[in-house]
Amino acid sequence: TIEYNDGEKQEIEKGFVVEFSKKENSIETLVKAKGFEDCVTVISDKAVSCVVKCSSDGLSSNQTAQIQDIITSNCEISFENIKIIEIK
């Protein structure tokens, strides 16, 4: 077992935060490039939540698949751990 001191633990945690932040930004940019007005993404160690502003009709199955594809191409995560939240 490897033991880390407090300073090393903080550096490791900061690295994860920076990596997650880069991935969140990339997902948001790509989703907006698909024509969605706005998007906010939150990544945790086990799940991804993506809030997408969409038309009053909601997301089509094709749009949902596009967003899932964007998320899985940026994160190693399975579909069941992706939550897409529609804001109309």
Side-chain angles (χ1 to χ4, degrees):
T1 305
I2 299 173
E3 301 225 1
Y4 298 100
N5 66 39
D6 288 340
E8 292 170 326
K9 287 179 187 176
Q10 288 177 343
E11 285 300 312
I12 292 168
E13 289 173 1
K14 188 181 351 178
F16 281 120
V17 169
V18 169
E19 188 63 30
F20 284 172
S21 181
K22 286 179 183 178
K23 288 179 181 184
E24 289 167 351
N25 190 347
S26 177
I27 291 167
E28 291 165 1
T29 300
L30 291 169
V31 169
K32 289 176 191 175
K34 291 288 184 185
F36 296 98
E37 186 178 332
D38 203 6
C39 173
V40 176
T41 304
V42 178
I43 300 173
S44 71
D45 58 340
K46 295 180 179 156
V48 175
S49 295
C50 187
V51 180
V52 180
K53 188 167 185 180
C54 57
S55 69
S56 59
D57 296 335
L59 296 173
S60 69
S61 57
N62 186 42
Q63 290 172 317
T64 300
Q66 287 178 332
I67 295 168
Q68 288 173 328
D69 185 54
I70 289 168
I71 293 169
T72 57
S73 68
N74 281 275
C75 303
E76 294 180 16
I77 195 157
S78 58
F79 287 125
E80 62 264 11
N81 294 321
I82 296 173
K83 184 174 186 177
I84 298 174
I85 303 162
E86 300 174 25
I87 302 293
K88 299 175 185 175

